[in-house]
C-alpha cells in the first residue's frame, strides 16, 4: 500500500508541476466575471445562472483534466520508457495501476474542492448583497448545501471517466485513447435514447441491442442532478447512494480490467 | 528590437486599413442576433451533452436580449419573431425554468408594438410549464391573466383561476377573483355558484366578501328586471324618467330598494337604473367589453 | 551455492507484419549461469538481443519459452526485486523531478527506511559525481548526467545483483573511467554485476567472464583468458630508416606493410615467420627496430569473427527469417 501511496503522490506532484492548477485560476475568473456581467443581463436570474455555470464549469474542467491526463498516465510512461526503471522496483504491475489512478483522483479531488469553495464564495457574496424580499422568491437558497450533492456526483462521474481513460491508455496511443474516452463520455451522456429505443424502432433485435448497450455503457447521465439541485427539487438519498455505488462498481470493473491487460503486456 | 517594433507597426497599419475600408464600404451586418442555428430542442438537448441548464440560461439571455432589443429598437420593423422559439428552447432544455414560463408569457402577450402580441403563444408556453410541473398554481394563474387582459375573456379567465385554486398550496384569494371574473363576463349563474361556495369558507373576510358579492349580483338582477320594466312602460311625453309614473301606472308598489336597503336611482335623462352612490353595494361590477 | 542468475532455454519471439503472421525470434534458447560475485560481460552488436535478455530478466517482457531465475527466485518475483538494481539502456526518468526527488521517490518504493533515505540518496549522488545539480530538474540534465543518476538509482537498495544495460553510453572518457571504478568497487563489495555493452575495451578491463551474443544466439561464453583464440597470432614490427630497396626485399615475408611516414613502417609478420631471424637482417640494412609486439587476436577480432559465423549459421538455418533491426 505504501507503494501505491508513493506513486499516487508522485502523479499529483507531476500534475502540479505541469501547471494543472492554473485551470482553477481560469475558473475563478470565469465565475467572478460572469457574476458581475450576468446581473445586467438576466432579469434577476443571476444566482441560478451562477449555480449552473459553476457546476457546469467544474464538470467540464474536470473532464478535460480526467481525459488529458488520464490518457497519458500509462502511455506516457511506456512511450518514454520511464516505466523500465519503475517496474524493476519491488512493486507489482497492479500496484502501479492503482497508484496512477489514485494520483489522478487526488488531483481531481483537489480541483473539485477548490472550485466548490470558489462557487460558494461567489454565491455567498451574491446572497449577502441581495434584499430579503428578493431572496424569498428564490427556489433554492443562494448558498444551498444541496449543491454539494451535485458536486459529489460530478466527482464520482469524473472518477469514472478517469478510469475509462486509464483503461484505454494501457493499450492504445494517446490520440486514440482520447477519442475513445470522449466517445464513451458522449455515449454515456446520451444513453437515454438507448433506453427508449424500443419506442422508436420496430425491430425487436435492435431494441434488445440498444437495451444491452444501455446497460454495458457507462450510465453517465445518471450522475447529472444539476438541474434538480439548482431548482431546489428534492434528490432522495437513496438515489445518491445507489448511483454512487453503481459508479464504484463500474470503476472497480475498469480498474481490474486495466490491471489484467497491463499485467500481460510486453514493453518493447 | 527594430523587428519587434516593425511587427507592431504593421499590425497597427492593418487595423487602420480595416477601419478606413469599413468606413468606405460599410458591411451589411449579418444580423446574428436574429439567427437561430439550431431550431429543434431535441437536437440541442443532445448537442449540449448534459449541460442543459446552462444552455437554457444562454437561451434565456438571448430571449431577453431579443425582446429588449426589438422593443427598444426605433428603426427596423419589430417582429419579435424569435421570441417564442427562444423561449421554447429555453424551457425544453430546462423544464423547471420558472421565470422563463412566467416572464415569457408576459412578454409574448404584450400587445404590439411593445411585444409580439401573441397571447396564444403565451398560453402555449404556460401549458408547457404545467405539463412539466402540473401542481404549480402560478402557471394556471398566469394563463387566467392572459385570458383576462389580452384576450378579454373573463369567463375563460375564471375557469383558469378555479383550476389554479385547486392546486396544492394555492392562495385563498384565487376563488374570489374567479368569481369576480365571472361576474365581469356576465355569467352571473356561475358567479353566484362560486360565491355561495365561499359562504362556507374558514376565513371571515372571505365570507363577508361572498355575502357582499351575492348581494351585488342580486342587485344586478334586479336592475335588469327594472330596466326591462322601464323599457316596456311607455313614458308620458315631456316628462323625465322618474319612479313615480311607474308607481302611478301600477307597475311598482314603491321606490325599489337595493338588497342593502338603499333606493335605486333612476337617471332622469337616460332612464338607466343604478345603485345610489351612498349604497353599500356601490360600485357594482361592470361587465367587460369583449374586444 | 546457487547461482546469482540462471537462464535456461530462454526464447523470445515477436510477431511482425500486419496480421502478425511472421515471427521474429529476438532470443533463441539462451542458457547461462552467473555466479555470485562475478562481473559478467554480456557482449554483442546492436540488435543482438542483449537488451531483450535484460528486459526478460526484469519481466518487462514475457518469454515465449524457457525460464530464468534471479537469486534463486523466478523472474518477476516481487520480493527478489528488493535485492537487485537495474539501469535501463538510455534511461529516461521523470524530467519534472530533481535528481534528489527522483532518488527519494525510488527509495520510498524500495522501502528504504525513512531515516536512512536522505543519507543514502546524498551519498549515492556524491558517489556518481552529481553535485549542486542534484537540486535541478532532470529536464536540465545532459545525457551523461542522466546516466549517472540512473546508476545511482540502481544502487539505492544496496543490491546483491546489479544489472546494467550499456552503463557507459553517453559518458565522456572521464565518466567512463568513473563507472569502471564503480563497477570494480561493487565487485570488491561482493556484489554481482551483469552488464551489457558493445564497447569491448570495457569488457576486457572489467569482466571475469563474458558471453557473446549475436543474432539472438549465444556465440561464445567463458573466461577471457581461456577463450582459446586469444593466442598469439603474429608479430608486429615498427621499423625506422628503412630504405625502399630493403622494404621490397622484406615485403614478401610480411602479411602487411603500413607506412607511417618518412622511412618508418609497420611490418606485420605471420606467426610462422620467426622475427628473431629477421631482425638482424633488417639491422644489417641500416634500419632501426623501434618496437616489436606479439599480435593477439583482440576481443574485437574474435567478436567480429564469431558474429560473422553466427550470421552464416543463422542464414543456413532459417532462410526465410530476417532481422527487423530490433
Amino acid at each position: 500500500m505504501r507503494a501505491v501511496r508513493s506513486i499516487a503522490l508522485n502523479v499529483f506532484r507531476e500534475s502540479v508541476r505541469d501547471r494543472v492548477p492554473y485551470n482553477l485560476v481560469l475558473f475563478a475568473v470565469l465565475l467572478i466575471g460572469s457574476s458581475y456581467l450576468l446581473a445586467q443581463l438576466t432579469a434577476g436570474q443571476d444566482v441560478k445562472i451562477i449555480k449552473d455555470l459553476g457546476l457546469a464549469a467544474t464538470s467540464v474542467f474536470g473532464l478535460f483534466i480526467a481525459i488529458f491526463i488520464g490518457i497519458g498516465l500509462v502511455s506516457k510512461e511506456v512511450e518514454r520508457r520511464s516505466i523500465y526503471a519503475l517496474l524493476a522496483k519491488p512493486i507489482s504491475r497492479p500496484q502501479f495501476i492503482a497508484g496512477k489512478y489514485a494520483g489522478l483522483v487526488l488531483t481531481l479531488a483537489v480541483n473539485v474542492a477548490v472550485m466548490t469553495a470558489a462557487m460558494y464564495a461567489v454565491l455567498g457574496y451574491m446572497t449577502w448583497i441581495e434584499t430579503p424580499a428578493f431572496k424569498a422568491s428564490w427556489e433554492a437558497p443562494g448558498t444551498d448545501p444541496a449543491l454539494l450533492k451535485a458536486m459529489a456526483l460530478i466527482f464520482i462521474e469524473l472518477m469514472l471517466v478517469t478510469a475509462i481513460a486509464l483503461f484505454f491508455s494501457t493499450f492504445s496511443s494517446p490520440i486514440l485513447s482520447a477519442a475513445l474516452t470522449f466517445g464513451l463520455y458522449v455515449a454515456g451522456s446520451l444513453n437515454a435514447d438507448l433506453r427508449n429505443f424500443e419506442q422508436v424502432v420496430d425491430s425487436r433485435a435492435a431494441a434488445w441491442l440498444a437495451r444491452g448497450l444501455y446497460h454495458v455503457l457507462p450510465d453517465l447521465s445518471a450522475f447529472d442532478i444539476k438541474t434538480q439541485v439548482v431548482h431546489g427539487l428534492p434528490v432522495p438519498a437513496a438515489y445518491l447512494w445507489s448511483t454512487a455505488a453503481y459508479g464504484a462498481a463500474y470503476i472497480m470493473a475498469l480498474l481490474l480490467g486495466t490491471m489484467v491487460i497491463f499485467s500481460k503486456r510486453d514493453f518493447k | 528590437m527594430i523587428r519587434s517594433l516593425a511587427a507592431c507597426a504593421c499590425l497597427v497599419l492593418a487595423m487602420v486599413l480595416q477601419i478606413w475600408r469599413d468606413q468606405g464600404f460599410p458591411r451589411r451586418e449579418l444580423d446574428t442576433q436574429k439567427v437561430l442555428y439550431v431550431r429543434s430542442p431535441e437536437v440541442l438537448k443532445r448537442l449540449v451533452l448534459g449541460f442543459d441548464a446552462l444552455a437554457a440560461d444562454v437561451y434565456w439571455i438571448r430571449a431577453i436580449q431579443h425582446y429588449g432589443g426589438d422593443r427598444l429598437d426605433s428603426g427596423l420593423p419589430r417582429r419579435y419573431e424569435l421570441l417564442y422559439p427562444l423561449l421554447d428552447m429555453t424551457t425544453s432544455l430546462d423544464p423547471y425554468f420558472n421565470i422563463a414560463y412566467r416572464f415569457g408569457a408576459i412578454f409574448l402577450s404584450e400587445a404590439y408594438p411593445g411585444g409580439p402580441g401573441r397571447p396564444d403563444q403565451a398560453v402555449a408556453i404556460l401549458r408547457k410549464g404545467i405539463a412539466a410541473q402540473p401542481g404549480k398554481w402560478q402557471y394556471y394563474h398566469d394563463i387566467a391573466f392572459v385570458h383576462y387582459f389580452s384576450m378579454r375573456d373573463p369567463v375563460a379567465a375564471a375557469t383558469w383561476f378555479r383550476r389554479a385554486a385547486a392546486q396544492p398550496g394555492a392562495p385563498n384569494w384565487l376563488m374570489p377573483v374567479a368569481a369576480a371574473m365571472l361576474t365581469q363576463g356576465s355569467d352571473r349563474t356561475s358567479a353566484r355558484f362560486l360565491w355561495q361556495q365561499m359562504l362556507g369558507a374558514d376565513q371571515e373576510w372571505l365570507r363577508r366578501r361572498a355575502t357582499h358579492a351575492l348581494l351585488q349580483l342580486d342587485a344586478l338582477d334586479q336592475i335588469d328586471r327594472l330596466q326591462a320594466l322601464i323599457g316596456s312602460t311607455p313614458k308620458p311625453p315631456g316628462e323625465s324618467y322618474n319612479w313615480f309614473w311607474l308607481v302611478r301606472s301600477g307597475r311598482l308598489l314603491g321606490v325599489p330598494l337595493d338588497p342593502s336597503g338603499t333606493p335605486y336611482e333612476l337617471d332622469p335623462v337616460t332612464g338607466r337604473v343604478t345603485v345610489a352612490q351612498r349604497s353599500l353595494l356601490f360600485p357594482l361590477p361592470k361587465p367587460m367589453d369583449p374586444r | 551455492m546457487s547461482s546469482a542468475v540462471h537462464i535456461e532455454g530462454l526464447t523470445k519471439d515477436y510477431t511482425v507484419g500486419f496480421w502478425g503472421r511472421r515471427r521474429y525470434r529476438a532470443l533463441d534458447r539462451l542458457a547461462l549461469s552467473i555466479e555470485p560475485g562475478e562481473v559478467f560481460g554480456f557482449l554483442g552488436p546492436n540488435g543482438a538481443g542483449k537488451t531483450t535478455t535484460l528486459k526478460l530478466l526484469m519481466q518487462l517482457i514475457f518469454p515465449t519459452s524457457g525460464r530464468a531465475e534471479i537469486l534463486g527466485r523466478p523472474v518477476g518475483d516481487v520480493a527478489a526485486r528488493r535485492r537487485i538494481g537495474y539501469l535501463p539502456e538510455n534511461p529516461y526518468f521523470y524530467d519534472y523531478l530533481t535528481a534528489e526527488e527522483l532518488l527519494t521517490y525510488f527509495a520510498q518504493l524500495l522501502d528504504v527506511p525513512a531515516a536512512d533515505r536522505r543519507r543514502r540518496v546524498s551519498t549515492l549522488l556524491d558517489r556518481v559525481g552529481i553535485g549542486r545539480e542534484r537540486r535541478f530538474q532532470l529536464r536540465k540534465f545532459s545525457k551523461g548526467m542522466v546516466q549517472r543518476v540512473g546508476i545511482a538509482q540502481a544502487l539505492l537498495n544496496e543490491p546483491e545483483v546489479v544489472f546494467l544495460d550499456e552503463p557507459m553510453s553517453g559518458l565522456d572518457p572521464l565518466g567512463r573511467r568513473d563507472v569502471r571504478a564503480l563497477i570494480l568497487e561493487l565487485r570488491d563489495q561482493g556484489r554481482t554485476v551483469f552488464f551489457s555493452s558493445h564497447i569491448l575495451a570495457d569488457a576486457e578491463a572489467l569482466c571475469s567472464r563474458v558471453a557473446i551474443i549475436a543474432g539472438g544466439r549465444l556465440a561464445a561464453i567463458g573466461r577471457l583468458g581461456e577463450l582459446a583464440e586469444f593466442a598469439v597470432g603474429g608479430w608486429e614490427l615498427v621499423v625506422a630508416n628503412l630504405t625502399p630497396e630493403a622494404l621490397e626485399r622484406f615485403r614478401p615475408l610480411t602479411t602487411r606493410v603500413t607506412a607511417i611516414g618518412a622511412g618508418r613502417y609497420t611490418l606485420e609478420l605471420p606467426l610462422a615467420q620467426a622475427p628473431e631471424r629477421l631482425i638482424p637482417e633488417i639491422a644489417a640494412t641500416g634500419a632501426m627496430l623501434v618496437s616489436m609486439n606479439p599480435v593477439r587476436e583482440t576481443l574485437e577480432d574474435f567478436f567480429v569473427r564469431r558474429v560473422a559465423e553466427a550470421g552464416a549459421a543463422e542464414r543456413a538455418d532459417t532462410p526465410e527469417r530476417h532481422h527487423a533491426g530490433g
Side-chain angles (χ1 to χ4, degrees):
Chain A
M1 269 317 282
R2 261 177 308 167
V4 170
R5 212 189 75 167
S6 297
I7 298 177
L9 287 174
N10 196 50
V11 171
F12 182 74
R13 184 163 45 176
E14 179 174 6
S15 75
V16 167
R17 298 217 182 154
D18 274 349
R19 303 198 173 84
V20 163
Y22 281 6
N23 85 95
L24 295 173
V25 175
L26 187 58
F27 176 81
V29 167
L30 179 69
L31 218 50
I32 295 173
S34 311
S35 74
Y36 178 69
L37 288 174
L38 288 174
Q40 330 282 334
L41 287 179
T42 60
Q45 291 303 292
D46 30 357
V47 164
K48 171 195 189 290
I49 296 184
I50 287 293
K51 287 183 187 175
D52 285 334
L53 191 58
L55 290 174
T58 304
S59 188
V60 167
F61 281 74
L63 190 68
F64 274 109
I65 293 176
I67 294 187
F68 287 112
I69 301 187
I71 55 177
L73 272 183
V74 170
S75 59
K76 234 181 13 170
E77 288 242 22
V78 170
E79 187 198 311
R80 304 227 190 127
R81 307 204 272 181
S82 52
I83 204 170
Y84 287 7
L86 194 60
L87 285 183
K89 305 287 176 284
I91 61 171
S92 64
R93 293 197 190 187
Q95 278 177 318
F96 172 78
I97 295 288
K100 286 282 180 175
Y101 181 71
L104 187 47
V105 165
L106 178 62
T107 306
L108 283 170
V110 168
N111 227 59
V112 170
V114 171
M115 287 181 171
T116 306
M119 188 176 75
Y120 270 112
V122 172
L123 286 171
Y125 173 70
M126 292 170 82
T127 309
W128 179 65
I129 60 175
E130 211 53 80
T131 63
F134 189 64
K135 280 191 270 202
S137 72
W138 285 346
E139 293 169 305
T143 51
D144 187 5
L147 290 170
L148 289 172
K149 293 190 217 175
M151 280 296 193
L153 283 189
I154 287 177
F155 179 62
I156 299 181
E157 185 184 1
L158 290 174
M159 281 171 66
L160 185 46
V161 173
T162 303
I164 296 174
L166 179 63
F167 176 76
F168 286 126
S169 141
T170 46
F171 58 85
S172 10
S173 72
I175 294 189
L176 191 57
S177 299
L180 288 170
T181 306
F182 189 68
L184 268 191
Y185 173 77
V186 171
S189 301
L190 296 179
N191 61 357
D193 287 324
L194 286 175
R195 192 174 51 218
N196 301 326
F197 215 58
E198 53 231 14
Q199 294 163 0
V200 181
V201 193
D202 276 337
S203 154
R204 290 275 304 201
W208 273 97
L209 181 63
R211 239 325 151 105
L213 277 177
Y214 170 71
H215 288 300
V216 165
L217 292 175
D219 186 3
L220 297 175
S221 63
F223 292 92
D224 179 11
I225 56 167
K226 303 195 277 281
T227 309
Q228 288 90 310
V229 159
V230 168
H231 286 288
L233 299 167
V235 178
Y239 179 83
L240 289 175
W241 290 120
S242 59
T243 308
Y246 167 79
Y250 207 101
I251 289 171
M252 260 341 261
L254 282 169
L255 283 180
L256 290 170
T258 307
M259 289 177 186
V260 166
I261 295 180
F262 192 64
S263 294
K264 297 207 182 345
R265 240 193 98 164
D266 278 349
F267 298 113
K268 297 221 184 78
Chain B
M1 184 60 192
I2 301 274
R3 258 195 279 252
S4 318
L5 285 174
C8 293
C10 285
L11 190 59
V12 171
L13 175 65
M15 288 195 255
V16 167
L17 284 170
Q18 183 187 32
I19 294 173
W20 177 79
R21 183 213 63 207
D22 280 344
Q23 279 178 345
F25 303 96
R27 287 209 278 208
R28 252 182 52 92
E29 293 291 331
L30 175 61
D31 209 339
T32 51
Q33 286 284 62
K34 293 202 185 289
V35 173
L36 199 59
Y37 290 108
V38 182
R39 287 209 167 247
S40 155
E42 287 74 35
V43 170
L44 190 66
K45 236 178 144 68
R46 280 160 183 74
L47 278 179
V48 296
L49 277 186
F51 296 103
D52 306 12
L54 198 59
D57 293 335
V58 171
Y59 274 88
W60 168 246
I61 294 177
R62 280 197 67 187
I64 295 184
Q65 298 213 293
H66 178 74
Y67 176 70
D70 273 10
R71 189 177 162 119
L72 297 172
D73 191 347
S74 47
L76 309 164
R78 311 176 231 172
R79 286 192 301 277
Y80 307 92
E81 67 270 15
L82 286 186
L83 187 57
Y84 182 72
L86 285 169
L87 287 169
D88 189 32
M89 289 286 216
T90 307
T91 50
S92 295
L93 288 166
D94 186 355
Y96 303 101
F97 203 158
N98 207 19
I99 291 297
Y101 296 114
R102 303 196 70 192
F103 279 17
I106 295 176
F107 297 157
L108 285 166
S109 55
E110 186 87 359
Y112 193 85
R118 294 291 303 269
D120 58 321
Q121 283 179 337
V123 172
I125 206 128
L126 285 165
R127 291 190 97 121
K128 207 173 153 199
I130 290 175
Q133 289 182 286
K136 239 172 141 67
W137 64 265
Q138 290 92 334
Y139 297 156
Y140 300 86
H141 162 280
D142 290 352
I143 294 182
F145 259 99
V146 172
H147 278 291
Y148 183 74
F149 276 118
S150 307
M151 309 211 275
R152 324 267 332 159
D153 183 357
V155 176
T159 314
W160 283 99
F161 273 118
R162 290 175 70 176
R163 287 192 189 139
Q167 303 307 319
N172 51 20
W173 46 261
L174 286 169
M175 277 298 239
V177 173
M181 298 257 150
L182 284 170
T183 311
Q184 287 221 314
S186 307
D187 183 353
R188 293 188 207 147
T189 321
S190 311
R192 189 168 266 127
F193 177 69
L194 275 191
W195 288 122
Q196 276 165 347
Q197 287 192 315
M198 283 185 253
L199 283 178
D202 293 330
Q203 293 98 324
E204 168 70 28
W205 68 270
L206 202 48
R207 288 197 297 268
R208 275 188 280 140
R209 177 86 185 84
T211 316
H212 188 253
L214 285 168
L215 292 178
Q216 284 182 318
L217 282 173
D218 289 340
L220 285 171
D221 285 344
Q222 289 174 349
I223 290 176
D224 283 346
R225 289 203 293 274
L226 287 170
Q227 209 69 66
L229 196 61
I230 294 171
S232 64
T233 309
K235 183 175 76 125
E239 277 194 43
S240 50
Y241 290 98
N242 61 62
W243 292 119
F244 298 103
W245 55 261
L246 279 169
V247 174
R248 274 204 301 273
S249 66
R251 308 305 273 285
L252 279 180
L253 292 173
V255 176
L257 298 176
D258 71 27
S260 72
T262 316
Y264 283 110
E265 287 184 351
L266 179 58
D267 187 299
V269 176
T270 60
R272 303 238 5 252
V273 182
T274 54
V275 290
Q277 270 210 328
R278 66 177 195 280
S279 165
L280 287 173
L281 301 181
F282 182 84
L284 287 178
K286 278 208 275 285
M288 171 167 277
D289 311 319
R291 241 198 262 154
Chain C
M1 187 170 61
S2 62
S3 30
V5 179
H6 181 70
I7 301 177
E8 237 175 67
L10 200 61
T11 307
K12 178 63 184 169
D13 287 336
Y14 287 114
T15 52
V16 290
F18 188 63
W19 297 109
R21 277 183 302 135
R22 283 174 301 153
R23 281 206 292 153
Y24 162 56
R25 180 155 283 199
L27 197 65
D28 189 8
R29 289 164 292 177
L30 179 69
L32 56 87
S33 264
I34 301 174
E35 301 310 312
E38 278 199 272
V39 177
F40 192 92
F42 199 53
L43 310 173
N46 294 326
K50 307 193 292 298
T51 299
T52 305
T53 306
L54 275 159
K55 282 160 74 169
L56 282 163
L57 286 173
M58 295 300 120
Q59 215 180 43
L60 293 167
I61 57 180
F62 297 91
T64 310
S65 60
R67 53 183 255 276
E69 281 176 2
I70 303 180
L71 293 170
R73 313 295 307 260
V75 147
D77 183 75
V78 172
R81 290 206 276 236
R82 283 189 211 289
R83 297 150 69 193
I84 67 172
Y86 171 57
L87 169 68
E89 185 188 6
N90 287 327
Y92 174 87
F93 304 109
Y94 309 107
D95 58 2
Y96 56 90
L97 293 180
T98 68
E100 265 182 336
E101 285 171 339
L102 179 80
L103 290 184
T104 310
Y105 174 44
F106 281 171
Q108 282 174 344
L109 294 177
L110 287 162
D111 288 328
V112 173
D116 288 338
R117 239 177 257 159
R118 185 185 270 216
R119 186 187 45 81
R120 222 185 266 195
V121 165
S122 171
T123 313
L124 270 169
L125 283 169
D126 290 335
R127 182 68 193 80
V128 296
I130 306 265
R132 272 182 324 128
E133 303 87 358
R134 66 186 68 183
R135 299 249 154 78
F136 299 165
Q137 288 182 326
L138 284 171
R139 60 169 62 109
K140 301 202 167 74
F141 276 25
S142 69
K143 183 165 186 259
M145 286 164 73
V146 173
Q147 189 76 9
R148 290 166 195 262
V149 172
I151 295 173
Q153 63 86 30
L155 303 175
L156 267 174
N157 53 341
E158 293 172 355
E160 291 167 43
V161 186
V162 183
F163 296 87
L164 306 170
D165 198 345
E166 306 274 358
M168 315 294 191
S169 101
L171 295 178
D172 60 12
L174 287 175
R176 306 241 305 264
R177 196 188 58 182
D178 285 341
V179 173
R180 279 197 218 176
L182 190 96
I183 292 179
L184 290 174
E185 209 178 282
L186 292 173
R187 184 196 62 188
D188 292 339
Q189 288 167 358
R191 306 187 202 280
T192 312
V193 179
F194 177 108
F195 78 93
S196 78
S197 185
H198 57 269
I199 302 175
L200 305 173
D202 296 331
E204 278 184 318
L206 296 169
C207 298
S208 46
R209 278 201 304 154
V210 298
I212 299 184
I213 181 172
R217 290 190 182 155
L218 190 63
I221 179 169
R223 296 193 175 284
L224 271 177
E226 285 165 7
L227 288 171
E229 286 75 5
F230 294 127
V232 175
W235 309 98
E236 185 189 82
L237 302 177
V238 177
V239 183
N241 299 333
L242 192 63
T243 61
E245 305 83 29
L247 177 61
E248 291 318 310
R249 213 174 90 205
F250 295 123
R251 196 187 277 274
L253 302 171
T254 64
T255 54
R256 193 155 65 151
V257 174
T258 315
I260 314 175
R264 246 179 208 242
Y265 295 91
T266 303
L267 305 174
E268 289 175 34
L269 305 175
L271 188 63
Q273 179 69 37
E276 57 270 27
R277 288 227 296 266
L278 195 54
I279 289 171
E281 289 182 35
I282 293 173
T285 65
M288 193 174 77
L289 180 66
V290 175
S291 72
M292 180 184 91
N293 286 310
V295 173
R296 292 182 201 279
E297 184 184 50
T298 60
L299 184 55
E300 180 167 343
D301 300 324
F302 173 71
F303 184 93
V304 167
R305 184 158 55 80
R306 291 306 286 253
V307 165
E309 282 169 14
E314 172 205 321
R315 278 191 293 279
D317 270 352
T318 52
E320 71 270 9
R321 192 172 89 69
H322 59 275
H323 286 264

